[in-house]
């Protein structure tokens, strides 16, 4: 059941991103979902995509810091293309 919920969440995030490719929460949350499910390469690409977006909102600095941590733990360097 947990795996099914994960697949459903992934499908929802992908739908949001088809409609709005720069939707920050969907990018970040999908990256976290993929990371937790062991799909580290895909997660790293999404963390990098998130970092490439211009900052927005009061919580942007906190969210960017979280994305940097995610990108670094996935083996990428912030600002560098994904491996």
């Amino acid at each position: 059941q947990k795996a099914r919920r994960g697949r459903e969440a992934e499908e929802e995030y992908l739908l949001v991103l088809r409609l709005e490719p720069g939707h920050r929460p969907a990018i970040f949350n999908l990256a976290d979902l993929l990371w937790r499910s062991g799909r580290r390469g895909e997660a790293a690409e999404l963390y990098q995509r998130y970092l490439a977006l211009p900052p927005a909102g009061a919580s942007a600095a906190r969210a960017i810091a979280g994305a940097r941590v995610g990108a670094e733990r996935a083996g990428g360097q912030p600002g560098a293309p994904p491996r």
Side-chain angles (χ1 to χ4, degrees):
Q1 184 172 350
K2 185 176 180 180
R4 188 188 65 184
R5 283 195 318 259
R7 284 190 303 274
E8 290 171 356
E10 180 179 352
E11 290 172 10
E12 291 294 320
Y13 290 134
L14 291 171
L15 174 61
V16 169
L17 292 173
R18 277 194 294 276
L19 298 172
E20 189 180 336
H23 191 272
R24 292 176 191 317
I27 294 169
F28 191 83
N29 292 333
L30 179 57
D32 278 350
L33 177 74
L34 295 174
W35 178 266
R36 287 190 310 271
S37 66
R39 294 163 61 188
R40 305 270 160 85
E42 293 171 85
E45 289 177 22
L46 284 168
Y47 286 127
Q48 292 294 335
R49 179 174 161 187
Y50 183 88
L51 288 170
L53 295 171
S59 61
R62 186 172 57 249
I64 289 171
R68 287 187 191 282
V69 169
E72 289 169 1
R73 72 180 177 197
Q77 297 297 319
R83 297 184 205 174

